[in-house]
Amino acid sequence: MKIDEWIALIVEGSAELALLTLLLDNHLLKFERTDLLEHDLLRTRSASQFQKLHLNQAMDKQVHVYRILDSRKEKFKLSPAYQKRVSKVEELYTSPEIEVLYILNEGKYAHFKRSKLKPSEYVRHELTTMPKGSIKSRKYVTQYWQTQLDDLVKVIREYARVSTDPIDQTLAAILR
């Protein structure tokens, strides 16, 4: 697919960075690494820092910003001088998606919904067959999903179906 704008893929945490890196490097997103601003995922969360670090240079195309984050409270307001360089800012939420992806993949979503536990508590206490470790660390996320990428795509789509967020505000929105 030909992309006529740069894609700024801004990820909030280590888990999001690991998931998006796996999806990107395995050609499972609507765009490729060569379409990305600076050909990489970005960790710059504030609009002022993003402007200073990434929009303060001559560009041949506008930038479409995707912010992958778990907080709905963070604001991303570009100053008027930079707004013309950005075609759109879209926010894709992962709260509590990262943990729910594990739950869905382990076939425990119905049990989880009945449990009344937070997703992180459910994963820690109920998914005892999963390897121990920080489930949101980049290393853990990568090791868990790298051998089951088809399952990762499947559970991202399933999460979008069961989530209260509109599908265009989940990771499913950018899947190929």
Side-chain angles (χ1 to χ4, degrees):
M1 171 183 0
K2 173 94 169 89
I3 306 279
D4 60 350
E5 57 191 357
W6 290 111
I7 303 295
L9 198 53
I10 302 173
V11 295
E12 181 180 58
S14 297
E16 292 86 358
L17 179 64
L19 284 178
L20 272 296
T21 298
L22 284 168
L23 294 168
L24 185 64
D25 289 345
N26 288 281
H27 313 285
L28 298 169
L29 298 179
K30 294 191 296 190
F31 37 80
E32 298 292 333
R33 190 173 286 279
T34 55
D35 299 319
L36 297 183
L37 188 63
E38 301 186 21
H39 304 297
D40 207 356
L41 300 162
L42 305 174
R43 296 291 300 266
T44 311
R45 289 170 55 176
S46 83
S48 62
Q49 283 295 98
F50 178 74
Q51 291 170 173
K52 186 177 5 172
L53 295 172
H54 305 291
L55 296 179
N56 221 6
Q57 54 196 304
M59 289 189 191
D60 55 345
K61 302 183 264 189
Q62 282 189 300
V63 178
H64 185 139
V65 177
Y66 289 98
R67 297 178 65 221
I68 316 299
L69 62 162
D70 63 11
S71 171
R72 296 177 193 314
K73 295 177 182 162
E74 288 186 33
K75 299 297 176 216
F76 193 80
K77 180 101 171 93
L78 296 167
S79 68
Y82 291 97
Q83 288 176 0
K84 65 183 177 294
R85 292 180 180 227
V86 174
S87 64
K88 190 172 188 179
V89 175
E90 293 187 63
E91 295 176 343
L92 306 178
Y93 298 106
T94 60
S95 176
E97 187 169 332
I98 301 303
E99 292 88 352
V100 174
L101 295 179
Y102 294 124
I103 295 166
L104 286 165
N105 195 55
E106 298 293 323
K108 301 291 187 179
Y109 189 74
H111 185 260
F112 157 70
K113 289 304 279 183
R114 289 188 306 272
S115 76
K116 306 293 186 214
L117 292 172
K118 289 182 180 179
S120 58
E121 292 170 351
Y122 186 88
V123 169
R124 189 171 37 257
H125 299 296
E126 299 292 329
L127 297 184
T128 56
T129 59
M130 287 180 58
K132 296 300 175 206
S134 176
I135 62 169
K136 292 183 88 171
S137 75
R138 186 175 183 180
K139 181 179 177 182
Y140 187 96
V141 172
T142 300
Q143 287 176 343
Y144 182 87
W145 291 109
Q146 69 187 350
T147 59
Q148 47 186 343
L149 292 169
D150 290 340
D151 292 334
L152 174 59
V153 170
K154 183 178 86 182
V155 297
I156 288 172
R157 287 196 170 107
E158 179 64 11
Y159 173 79
R161 191 184 69 72
V162 300
S163 172
T164 57
D165 288 326
I167 192 169
D168 64 344
Q169 291 181 0
T170 68
L171 290 180
I174 58 174
L175 288 175
R176 186 175 298 279

